[in-house]
Amino acid sequence: MITTCIFDLDGVIVDTAKFHYLAWQRLAKELGITFTETDNERLKGVSRMESLDILLSLGTRTYDARAKEEMAARKNAWFVDYINAMKPEDIFPGVRELLVELRKKGYRLGLASSSKNAGTVLDRVGIASLFDAVVDGNMIKNSKPDPEVFLLAASKLKAKPSECVVFEDAEAGVEAAIRAGMKSVGIGSPKQLGKANQVVARTGDFKAEWLDKL
Ligand code: B16
Ligand code: MG
């Protein structure tokens, strides 16, 4: 029986995925690397340094650890500029309503994001209080597709993996949910997220009563 819903942040609750893309693209341009939206799909749910390695693998040069730290910090500063301007109306349509309804029905809610900036985003859009537990990129060693972020969220929520469903927009995130032994709802295209138990185009399309049939 599902008792607990665990939400990814970027691409599920807010459209910060587009800010990550714009910031990575700006860095790629400075480095003379071609970086498309298709390339960006591989970065979703993946940590900042792993994302940088994927981006650099599209070019020909190699960089030492210090240069890479500096590039990641530069990209993050651009990303932080975007998220600092976020407002409550930046939540995807219907998502706040879904969270409130799930809480009313007695489900426990968790947030599990690979992002070290997740706390800032939650504060800016004003929904931190809707979650019983938050796990972000500062609390984990291994990012998705490793199940660590979801298993830590479940343990904070005192739920067994079999009682949890994960809402995810990234292929790596759906894979992480499967490895954690949890059900998943994919947010996006069935072609990309076909391994999820159900796929909806937008988080706000999901109906609380579907949880029993996953
Ligand atoms: P940061 P999620 C992930 O968040 C993003 O999908 C991914 O693109 C990003 O690289 C990662 O967070 C790290 O973010 O640089 O802010 O620490 O989708 O797991 O909520
Ligand atoms: Mg995501």
Side-chain angles (χ1 to χ4, degrees):
M1 195 182 95
I2 299 294
T3 60
T4 305
C5 300
I6 300 177
F7 289 83
D8 169 52
L9 180 64
D10 293 340
V12 169
I13 289 181
V14 284
D15 196 7
T16 35
K18 117 183 137 203
F19 299 147
H20 281 296
Y21 175 55
L22 291 172
W24 283 126
Q25 204 184 38
R26 183 165 168 185
L27 180 70
K29 213 168 177 184
E30 287 190 3
L31 299 172
I33 294 172
T34 308
F35 180 69
T36 65
E37 241 173 314
T38 312
D39 298 323
N40 188 62
E41 281 303 311
R42 292 168 59 199
L43 272 48
K44 288 188 176 173
V46 173
S47 74
R48 196 178 307 164
M49 292 313 285
E50 285 170 295
S51 298
L52 177 63
D53 282 336
I54 294 172
L55 186 143
L56 293 178
S57 75
L58 301 169
T60 48
R61 276 192 61 181
T62 54
Y63 297 88
D64 64 20
R66 209 167 131 185
K68 290 208 280 188
E69 285 293 343
E70 183 277 323
M71 286 176 203
R74 211 141 37 101
K75 178 268 171 182
N76 190 55
W78 295 324
F79 179 72
V80 168
D81 279 347
Y82 285 121
I83 61 174
N84 273 336
M86 290 183 86
K87 302 205 164 45
E89 48 272 28
D90 289 319
I91 301 175
F92 282 136
V95 175
R96 183 193 294 274
E97 293 78 359
L98 175 65
L99 298 175
V100 168
E101 190 191 353
L102 290 169
R103 285 183 73 84
K104 265 197 201 140
K105 291 195 163 183
Y107 291 100
R108 307 257 299 150
L109 303 189
L111 187 105
S113 168
S114 305
S115 174
K116 293 184 171 168
N117 295 297
T120 308
V121 174
L122 288 182
D123 285 344
R124 291 286 180 276
V125 299
I127 52 166
S129 63
L130 292 177
F131 293 99
D132 301 294
V134 173
V135 177
D136 69 19
N138 299 294
M139 305 174 190
I140 53 166
K141 279 206 199 78
N142 308 297
S143 65
K144 305 160 188 175
D146 190 282
E148 185 181 355
V149 71
F150 295 134
L151 292 173
L152 183 57
S155 98
K156 280 177 178 267
L157 293 160
K158 302 199 174 14
K160 293 187 197 124
S162 59
E163 296 167 340
C164 299
V165 58
V166 166
F167 291 76
E168 253 297 345
D169 68 314
E171 216 173 326
V174 169
E175 182 62 34
I178 292 167
R179 290 194 202 170
M182 299 177 184
K183 296 241 163 97
S184 58
V185 174
I187 310 297
S189 91
K191 207 173 138 202
Q192 205 153 36
L193 304 170
K195 286 187 180 171
N197 296 83
Q198 188 179 344
V199 179
V200 290
R202 283 167 292 268
T203 313
D205 294 342
F206 191 81
K207 303 271 176 277
E209 55 269 26
W210 295 344
L211 282 174
D212 296 329
K213 295 175 207 129
L214 285 176

